[in-house]
Each structure stands twice: as structure tokens, then as C-alpha cells.
Amino acid sequence: MADIRTPDQRLRVFISSTIEELREERRAVREAVESLRLIPVFFEAGARPHPPRELYRAYLDQSDIFVGIYAGSYGWVAPEMTVSGLEDEYLLSGGRPQLIYIKDVPERDARLTRLLDSIRGSGAVSYQKFSTPAQLTEQLRNDLALLLSERFAAKRTVVTGVALPAMRSATIGRDAERAALRELLLRPDVGMVTLTGTGGTGKSHLALRVAHDVQPLMADGARFVALAPVARPEQVVPAIAAALGLVDSGADLLERIRTELAGRQLLLLMDNFEHVLDAAPVVGDLLDHAPRLKVLVTSRAPLHLVGEQVFTLAPLAEPPEQERDIARLMACPSVELFIHRARARAAQLPLDTANLQAVAALCRRLDGLPLAIELAAAHTKYLTPVALEQRMHRTLDLLERGPRDLPERQRTMRAAIGSSHELLVPGHRTFFRRLAVLSERWTIELAAAVTDAAALGLDAMDALEQLVDMGLVRVAPSGAHDADTGPRFQLLHVVREFALEELGAHGERDQAMERLRAWCMELVNESYVHASTDNVIPWMDRVEESYADLRMVIRAAMDRGDVPTVWTLVAHLNTFWLLRGYRGEALDWLRSTGLDTLAKDPDAFAEMPAILRGGVLFAAGTMCYYAEHLDVGVAYLERAVDCYAEPGIPPNLIFFAWLFLGMSRIGANDPLAGETMEQALRVARVTGDGFLVGLGLCFNHEIRMRAGQTELAAADLEEAERLARTHPRRLLHSSLHLAKGNLAMLMGNYAEAGREYALCLDSANSQRIAGTVGWALNGGGYCALLQGRVEEARTLFREGIEAARLGGYRAAMMAHWAGLAWALLLQGDAERAGLLFGAAEAQRSSIRYSPWRVTQSLFERVRAELEKAMAPDVLARSMAEGAALSMDEVLALASS
């Protein structure tokens, strides 16, 4: 009979089963084995340096007990084998105790039935049936306990000291961290690992799990030092002595600990070190005197010792915002933890789509913090996840009433955060709470301004490092448009809520918000200066990364009726709204603060400067132009021109107001378009600014082409090209290349047009001018079609559709649909061609948009080609069906 040792010696239990079929049962078995402080041994197939049979044979050789779990599948038979791995594991397990469990299933493989018949009479210790993972857990615990109690071969001397506490719950979503920590601790060159992280990330639980993993590999096992009850640093040495079973006899206690540990191979788990950091040198001293000692520390801040390996534990992964697949949602670690803990509370938790989406939203709101998720999941005994999500506006109040057997700091999220907050010195507490007015991600520069760090006598970088060490602030992931101005930081949602409570309690919220408003004003004013230069993109990126804070400042100004602040921030950021696609929100802010009154009543808001009134109307007009609300845009721009007629307005502002009014009138097929563009050119020539004149000529050429004056259009572009040579602004060059491409296309010079569109793309992409990019892709697509490169054309049109979709440019969208329809027709797919062209025509009619001359001519060409290829009734029916499609249906059709 195999020699069975006491649980302190950590027997290994080999679990044999199919993997996918019994995934939940395998987890239940792991929990049952670990609850008895035994080691579960699983064979997981994968990329390994040894053949599978060698691996599971080696695992079996090192295991003390065999547990077989069987359901319906016999498992895979490898090419070189005559039996499956499942049966082979059983056959190799002879000579050790065997516990067999068979799940009730409707059908079972014939070969598995034969195997079970042979096992039944084999004398296995236990042969039982089960229905659920919970039933299996209970059976296995009882069987293992009975097996161990009956088969102790001999009693061993019990090692003195405080053994590791038993694991009382499953470890979910931490497989990677668990393996990495275990590997780090076992490295010969590592003596100490400190596990840090925000309060509530599960540091203590994971550290204990890893300690249980490592303990069997330590000749002298592991000891647990609970530091939460320790009030002062000088009490750490007695706490270590107690964990080692040493009695304080009045002699030098630290020296006795050194002597005790000197030759021992032992793991010391020191839990919750953050409030006794001044005792850190004691740990360093012990490591110096005990070369085989391993120390695993949990702390909200590193100990900053030589040789310390810091392992920062992040919250659990959250489900992506757009994820809808039920299987992927349930596999997300934070969602999995929520479901597991909710079920442990006997919750009624139907996992339908609505509840799963609510659970996913809750996990995102809770930033994947395990403690917060567990506290929230407890409420599902009375509330569905949908109902719970609706009550999350006061998160900290909801995350109360944790289990009574947990330490006080882990019973509520407020207590968990508060225990870290109490460890800060007063200046850092003030700095921390003032950060609460910030949202999303922020820079050191912004943190310094909003907290008034200089007045606190703090260096903002040093203060942030302290808060990061304490887990109250975390370094934010990089953003797509981050300027190169250093790291970004953020507060977790629940931490920010705590900081807001502190800020309110100290009466500092208004002052902090005023500092944030002043900082945003300065940022916007600097961005406004750079908006008319080629340096616009880095400044737009800076605005983008602070957009959430800017939005908060604007809404706060609206709440207090501060119209000048709202209008200044919106008007000065007009380029940002146009380039980055926040037009709808900006227009809503302007309309909420009197935009339409300003547009209709010349005497409204007369107390405000004309440059601000005109700037607001110009911003609204350009946003409406890009959104293809042309009639409304024309009205706003006409009033902007009136405001800019007052003295003291910079000429470049007057020019752009006339230019966009002319462009809007072109799109609206307004007969005044020509006269308006002429006025824009006159203003530009009066300024003597070659850049403005060149830009005006680039757009005036459309008036020429509509009138059939191609020679005059060419002359305008020749003059613009001469000016561009001495004015290297990218906006002028991209506009010039687009205009030259349009003229060449209209003249039938497709190769030349293609070259110009390609040059336009190079220039416009560098400035992220989405509208120009979209039209250049459209022109390039038509050029490719007309030169027989159909697949290239389809690629360009699809890129253009995506650019138009992201930028919200419906006019460019319809032009791409029409081009794609022609490409499909050339490839013999007349049916889809008719549908797409019908959708394009419906879009044009919907926005009442008059395409520019080159686009109009191409539309006419596509229609003519369709009419040649399809019978009139078939084409009419196909176009009608296309016109009835939703936007999503058309996009799906275009991408297929």
C-alpha cells in the first residue's frame, strides 16, 4: 500500500478527466483538493518539450492519489497509442489509492463504458456517481478525508509556528499571475518578492495561494506572519518570532530569529506590511543572515530594499465595451468572478443576455477590482444584475457589508481605500483628494496645476509616485494620440469616488474646479493659436487626451450659467471639433447656451465681443457644413459674416467665414455660391496673405468648373501652385492636389488625376484631415476604375467608406457607395451594384447635397453604366431596395 503522509506534507492528487467536457468539474475538484491543503496535479495538453505520455507518466509518478472523473467521452487516441490518454492514465495509476467518480449523462462512448466496467471490479477505494460539480466537491472532500485518516503510515513531528491558513475560496482569473509569482519566488537569485496593488485587488488571497503552491518545495515549509493586527513597526520582530514558534524569553529576539532561520529553507509570507514600512530593514537583515530564506510580502507600497522584486497586481481584466458574445463574456475573469461569488450567495442569477451585459457593465464600473466585485455580487441575492447596475451611481455606498470573518479593511471598499489613505502624510492626502476633479487620464502637468502642488510644497512627480506606490493612483495605458509629454495617470472609479467625498468634506471642490477651468482655458487658447499652423496635430492630441476634463469644465460652466466660458472653449476649439468628430456634442452645448437666439436676433448677446459671437456662429456653421446640415449651416455662417463686419476682427477670420459660407452654398446648390467665393477671394487678396489667397483659389475652381470654365479653373490652380511654393502649409498643399486631381479627372487625364490624389493623401493624412482624405480616396478609386484596376478601386472605396464612417461624412460615404457599385458592375455583380447605387442616391436625397462637379459627372457615369447593363424595371427595383436599406445593412453590403 502506498505510503500516505499527513496533510502538512502536502500530498499530490492526480486528477484524470477530459478537459473541455468536464471543465467546471475540474475546477470543483481543484477547490476540493486545495481546501484540504493538498496539491492538485492536472495534465493540460499544449506546447511542451516532451511527448504528452512522458509528461503525464512523470506527473503520475510524483503523485500520491489518483482521482478519475468520467462523463461521456472516452477521449482522443494518439496515432502511436491503442488506448486514449484517459484510459492510459488509469492504467498507469496502479499501486496508489484510486477514487473514481462517474457523471450521469444521457450517452457514453462504448469504449468508456468498457473501461468503467473494468474499473468497477478493480478494488478502487471509491466508485461513486454524481450529477453536479457541487455534489462532486462534497463527495471528493469526504473521500479524501476518510482516505487520509485511515492510511497514515506514521506520525511525523509537527513543525512549530504558524502554518499557512487554509484556502477558503477559489482563485479565479489569476492563473498567469500565480504562475509568474511562483516562478519568481523559486528563482535562485531572488530572496524577496513584494506583491503590491490597489486595495481590493486580492493581494492577500493570491499570495496565500502562491505560498501553498511553493510550500511543498521548501524543506522547512512555510510560515504566515499576519501584520494587520500589528500597530507599530517595533512589533514586527515579535510577530515574526510568534510565526516561527519562538517564545520571547527576554533575550535578543531578532538574534534568535536569525539563528532559527540561518540554515533553513523556508518561505515566510508577511501579509499587510504597508502600515509598518519603517520595519522593512528587519526583513533585509533576515535575508542577509538566512541565504535559503524566501520572503513573500503583501503591501500597498514597496519596501524599497536591495534585491526586492516588486510584483504589481492589476485588477482583473474587464470585458470590452463592445463585447456581446455570451461565451466570451463568461470567460472574462472579472465576469467569471462575479458569477462565481453571486452563486456562492445563493443568488437567483439567470445568465440571459440582459443580465450578462449588466454584469459586464458592473465589472467595468468597478474597474475589475476583486473585492468590489465580490461586494457587489453579494447584492444579487436580492437584486438582479440589471437592477443592481441601475443603483451604481453611488458605488461606495453599495459596496458595504462584506463577510464578517474578513479583516475590517476588507469588509467594505470604503474601508479598503481608507486604510491606504490613512497611511499618507497630510500633504499627500490633500494632493490626492484634489485629483478627484480629474477624469479619465491626466498628465503630471495637469495634476500639478489642479492640486496646486507648488503651494503644498510638493513635487507633483514625487507625490504621484507615492500615490502609485500606495495603490491609490495607477499609471494609465497609452492612448492612440498621446503627445510625447510623459506618463499618464488615472484613478479607479471607486477610488475617485472616495477622493470626491474627501474633497467635499474639506470644502475644496470649487477651488479645485476653478484651477481645472483655468488650466483648460490656457490649453484651449494655446491650441487656438496653433490651429492655423502645421503644428495643429500635436495640439489637437493634447486636447484629445484632456477631452474628458474639458467636457466636465464646459458642463460645470453650463450648470452655473457661465455662457462666455462655454462659448470661448467651444469657439476656440473649432478645428478640434472638425478634425476629431465631436461635432454633435459641441453643437448641443452651443444650442443649450443660446446659439439659435444669437443666429436669429442681431441684438442678442450684444454685451459679448463681436469676435466671440462671430466665432460661435462660425464654429456652428462649419460643424453643420461637415454634418451636411447645409441650410442651417448657411444661416449660421451668414450671421457670422455680419458679426465679423464689426471693427477689429482679424482678416483671416473674415476670410474663413466667407470661404465656408461659399462652400456651404455650393453644397446647397445656392446661386449665390459664386458671388460668395469671389468675396472670400477679395478678402484674401486684401490681406496680402499668399496662403489665404491660394486656399481661396483652390475652392474657387469649383465655381469655374460648374460654369464649364475649365481654362479659368486651370489658371486659378496655376496661381495657387505658385503661391504654394512659398507657403508650405500642408492644408494648402492637400487642397491644391485635390483640386488638381478633380480638374484632371474632369478633363479625362486619369493617370495625372491619380497622381494628384495620391499626393493629396500623403499631405492630408499627415494632418489627419478626414474630409480631404475621404475625397482623395474617392477620386483615386474612380481613377483606378477608369484605368481597369478594379480590385485596387474596391480597396480604395472601402478605405474611404471607413474614413467617412469614422468622420461622419455622409456626402463622401454616398460617393464611395456609388464608386463601389460601378466596381461591382464591372465584376459582373449587377444586383449588388444596383442596391449600392440606390443607397447612394437615397443618401444624396436625404441630405439634399449637391455634389461637386467631378462627383456629379461620376454619378452620371455610374448611372449610365447601370442603365446599359440592367433592364429599367430591374434597375428601378434594385435601387428601390437599396434605398430602403439601413446604414448598417449598406455598410455590411459594401464590405462583403
Side-chain angles (χ1 to χ4, degrees):
M1 183 178 295
D3 198 38
I4 306 299
R5 296 158 292 174
T6 66
D8 290 329
Q9 300 279 321
R10 298 300 300 268
L11 289 102
R12 292 173 172 80
V13 181
F14 186 94
I15 293 96
S16 174
S17 76
T18 52
I19 297 176
E20 292 300 329
E21 180 187 30
L22 293 168
R23 185 169 293 280
E24 287 301 314
E25 286 77 5
R26 287 165 71 86
R27 175 175 289 160
V29 168
R30 179 188 288 275
E31 292 177 16
V33 173
E34 290 177 341
S35 71
L36 294 173
R37 300 181 58 210
L38 309 180
I39 300 175
V41 178
F42 290 90
F43 169 69
E44 304 280 3
R48 306 289 179 91
H50 306 288
R53 194 167 193 267
E54 280 187 27
L55 283 171
Y56 63 69
R57 179 187 286 274
Y59 291 177
L60 271 164
D61 287 345
Q62 299 172 58
S63 299
D64 304 282
I65 300 171
F66 176 86
V67 173
I69 316 166
Y70 307 107
S73 174
Y74 176 70
W76 178 65
V77 180
E80 72 280 5
M81 300 283 289
T82 59
V83 296
S84 70
L86 196 71
E87 181 168 356
D88 196 39
E89 287 172 351
Y90 170 73
L91 296 174
L92 292 170
S93 69
R96 54 182 54 78
Q98 298 166 323
L99 304 177
I100 306 299
Y101 302 91
I102 303 169
K103 184 174 183 178
D104 291 325
V105 292
E107 295 182 8
R108 187 169 282 126
D109 288 351
R111 294 193 68 176
L112 180 59
T113 300
R114 289 196 295 271
L115 172 62
L116 296 179
D117 288 342
S118 69
I119 292 175
R120 190 174 290 113
S122 66
V125 172
S126 174
Y127 183 98
Q128 298 194 65
K129 293 185 178 182
F130 71 94
S131 299
T132 66
Q135 185 182 5
L136 174 62
T137 299
E138 188 65 23
Q139 290 173 351
L140 181 59
R141 279 183 183 146
N142 292 338
D143 291 344
L144 284 172
L146 178 62
L147 175 67
L148 294 174
S149 66
E150 291 178 344
R151 295 181 178 237
F152 284 136
K155 290 187 177 181
R156 305 292 179 92
T157 302
V158 178
V159 182
T160 60
V162 181
L164 297 177
M167 296 301 301
R168 296 175 296 173
S169 58
T171 303
I172 293 175
R174 294 299 193 189
D175 290 349
E177 295 92 337
R178 181 177 174 181
L181 270 171
R182 187 167 58 236
E183 180 181 349
L184 190 59
L185 266 175
L186 294 175
R187 273 174 40 188
D189 61 325
V190 173
M192 173 187 179
V193 176
T194 301
L195 183 58
T196 68
T198 302
T201 49
K203 298 183 294 296
S204 295
H205 176 97
L206 180 59
L208 185 56
R209 179 68 72 192
V210 171
H212 274 287
D213 291 344
V214 172
Q215 177 180 242
L217 304 175
M218 299 284 115
D220 297 294
R223 299 294 177 273
F224 181 75
V225 184
L227 295 176
V230 172
R232 297 185 301 277
E234 56 267 27
Q235 294 175 332
V236 170
V237 170
I240 297 172
L244 295 173
L246 300 177
V247 178
D248 186 355
S249 60
D252 186 337
L253 194 55
L254 181 58
E255 183 58 36
R256 289 191 63 199
I257 295 172
R258 290 177 188 144
T259 303
E260 177 71 16
L261 294 177
R264 299 178 68 177
Q265 185 189 31
L266 178 136
L267 172 66
L268 202 61
L269 171 54
M270 307 186 72
D271 193 35
N272 296 296
F273 211 108
E274 58 271 356
H275 63 295
V276 287
L277 287 173
D278 287 345
V282 170
V283 180
D285 181 278
L286 295 180
L287 288 165
D288 288 341
H289 287 83
R292 302 177 70 199
L293 176 67
K294 298 281 186 178
V295 179
L296 176 58
V297 173
T298 71
S299 175
R300 298 186 186 183
L303 276 61
H304 297 296
L305 295 176
V306 175
E308 176 186 28
Q309 299 285 322
V310 178
F311 190 106
T312 302
L313 186 63
L316 291 171
E318 306 161 30
E321 191 82 42
Q322 69 280 3
E323 184 59 74
R324 295 293 180 268
D325 182 81
I326 288 179
R328 284 195 290 269
L329 281 175
M330 292 184 68
C332 178
S334 56
V335 173
E336 188 179 8
L337 177 64
F338 187 102
I339 293 170
H340 187 275
R341 296 297 188 254
R343 285 175 169 166
R345 295 300 184 98
Q348 298 298 314
L349 192 67
L351 294 179
D352 54 25
T353 301
N355 272 328
L356 267 177
Q357 290 295 337
V359 169
L362 286 165
C363 291
R364 286 190 291 268
R365 171 69 185 171
L366 300 173
D367 297 296
L369 279 173
L371 176 59
I373 289 171
E374 294 192 29
L375 293 171
H379 290 279
T380 55
K381 186 172 183 179
Y382 309 102
L383 297 170
T384 66
V386 171
L388 184 59
E389 185 195 359
Q390 295 168 353
R391 289 166 169 79
M392 288 297 287
H393 54 282
R394 290 287 297 170
T395 309
L396 286 174
D397 290 341
L398 194 65
L399 303 181
E400 300 284 353
R401 297 179 302 165
R404 292 191 180 97
D405 58 343
L406 287 176
E408 179 61 35
R409 62 187 169 76
Q410 293 179 3
R411 292 184 193 171
T412 72
M413 272 311 301
R414 186 176 277 109
I417 300 166
S419 61
S420 294
H421 180 255
E422 287 300 312
L423 298 173
L424 300 176
V425 298
H428 286 159
R429 289 185 196 174
T430 303
F431 183 91
F432 165 69
R433 64 176 175 259
R434 290 176 180 178
L435 293 173
V437 299
L438 300 175
S439 58
E440 303 296 336
R441 306 161 64 253
W442 25 270
T443 61
I444 299 168
E445 173 193 22
L446 177 52
V450 167
T451 60
D452 200 9
L456 293 173
L458 296 175
D459 176 83
M461 185 68 243
D462 289 343
L464 285 170
E465 285 179 352
Q466 291 288 324
L467 295 176
V468 170
D469 278 352
M470 292 304 301
L472 292 170
V473 169
R474 67 175 177 178
V475 178
S478 299
H481 302 308
D482 282 355
D484 187 17
T485 53
R488 272 65 177 171
F489 301 88
Q490 62 187 174
L491 297 173
L492 299 178
H493 290 106
V494 290
V495 175
R496 182 170 182 266
E497 191 172 319
F498 179 93
L500 279 170
E501 289 180 353
E502 288 291 309
L503 192 66
H506 286 81
E508 294 181 343
R509 181 160 186 170
D510 288 346
Q511 301 96 306
M513 282 298 298
E514 176 54 31
R515 287 191 291 270
L516 178 60
R517 187 199 71 82
W519 188 88
C520 285
M521 275 289 194
E522 184 177 345
L523 172 67
V524 168
N525 288 333
E526 287 187 71
S527 300
Y528 180 63
V529 171
H530 290 278
S532 57
T533 73
D534 280 344
N535 200 30
V536 61
I537 294 303
W539 281 93
M540 293 304 99
D541 286 343
R542 292 190 63 185
V543 173
E544 181 93 51
E545 67 186 12
S546 298
Y547 184 61
D549 298 298
L550 177 67
R551 176 193 283 135
M552 190 162 52
V553 166
I554 290 174
R555 287 175 177 167
M558 291 172 65
D559 289 344
R560 65 175 182 269
D562 184 358
V563 175
T565 291
V566 177
W567 282 11
T568 300
L569 290 171
V570 175
H572 282 197
L573 281 179
N574 187 38
T575 303
F576 176 76
W577 312 123
L578 300 184
L579 291 181
R580 296 300 167 87
Y582 297 100
R583 298 187 292 269
E585 190 171 35
L587 271 171
D588 285 345
W589 291 332
L590 293 180
R591 285 171 175 150
S592 296
T593 49
L595 168 66
D596 290 325
T597 300
L598 177 65
K600 294 173 184 176
D601 182 359
D603 297 324
F605 299 98
E607 71 280 5
M608 293 190 189
I611 193 170
L612 179 56
R613 286 180 281 128
V616 166
L617 291 161
F618 175 70
T622 54
M623 285 185 258
C624 287
Y625 169 77
Y626 280 101
E628 290 100 17
H629 302 306
L630 297 172
D631 292 344
V632 179
V634 166
Y636 289 149
L637 288 165
E638 286 174 342
R639 283 286 295 119
V641 165
D642 292 342
C643 288
Y644 283 166
E646 295 188 26
I649 306 298
N652 64 315
L653 299 185
I654 301 172
F655 164 76
F656 279 109
W658 280 106
L659 180 70
F660 271 92
L661 179 57
M663 291 160 61
S664 298
R665 283 175 168 167
I666 289 172
N669 206 24
D670 188 327
L672 293 176
E675 180 182 323
T676 306
M677 292 302 296
E678 287 177 9
Q679 177 61 26
L681 259 177
R682 280 195 291 271
V683 171
R685 293 191 188 281
V686 167
T687 67
D689 187 332
F691 164 71
L692 299 181
V693 175
L695 203 58
L697 290 167
C698 288
F699 289 96
N700 191 60
H701 97 288
E702 172 62 18
I703 300 295
R704 306 289 200 192
M705 291 202 300
R706 284 180 168 230
Q709 301 168 339
T710 54
E711 291 183 1
L712 291 176
D716 280 350
L717 296 183
E718 286 173 5
E719 182 183 356
E721 190 165 16
R722 287 194 299 272
L723 292 167
R725 294 190 190 108
T726 55
H727 293 81
R729 284 280 305 279
R730 290 193 183 99
L731 178 59
L732 174 55
H733 283 260
S734 60
S735 301
L736 176 61
H737 288 305
L738 182 62
K740 290 177 68 177
N742 289 344
L743 180 59
M745 174 74 82
L746 203 61
M747 300 296 292
N749 300 326
Y750 305 131
E752 179 185 343
R755 287 192 293 272
E756 293 294 342
Y757 289 134
L759 290 169
C760 175
L761 281 172
D762 287 343
S763 183
N765 272 323
S766 68
Q767 294 292 89
R768 302 183 207 154
I769 308 172
T772 305
V773 166
W775 287 114
L777 286 168
N778 189 251
Y782 279 107
C783 284
L785 272 185
L786 290 163
Q787 295 178 87
R789 302 192 305 274
V790 180
E791 275 305 317
E792 178 187 336
R794 290 186 65 170
T795 298
L796 290 169
F797 288 136
R798 283 171 174 162
E799 289 179 14
I801 288 170
E802 181 62 12
R805 185 188 67 81
L806 292 174
Y809 299 115
R810 293 180 295 166
M813 184 86 75
M814 70 167 191
H816 288 295
W817 290 347
L820 198 54
W822 192 2
L824 289 170
L825 182 64
L826 291 173
Q827 292 182 326
D829 194 345
E831 181 180 353
R832 281 202 300 159
L835 290 172
L836 274 175
F837 192 69
E841 286 286 24
Q843 179 89 292
R844 180 165 67 160
S845 175
S846 170
I847 62 179
R848 297 191 298 278
Y849 176 76
S850 173
W852 286 32
R853 183 69 189 91
V854 66
T855 306
Q856 180 61 47
S857 68
L858 292 167
F859 255 76
E860 293 166 357
R861 178 74 177 271
V862 176
R863 177 181 284 276
E865 295 295 332
L866 283 166
E867 288 173 346
K868 284 193 295 184
M870 302 173 70
D873 59 328
V874 175
L875 176 59
R877 183 171 61 253
S878 183
M879 289 184 60
E881 290 176 7
L885 295 175
S886 68
M887 176 66 76
D888 287 343
E889 289 171 327
V890 180
L891 291 174
L893 180 66
S895 63
S896 62

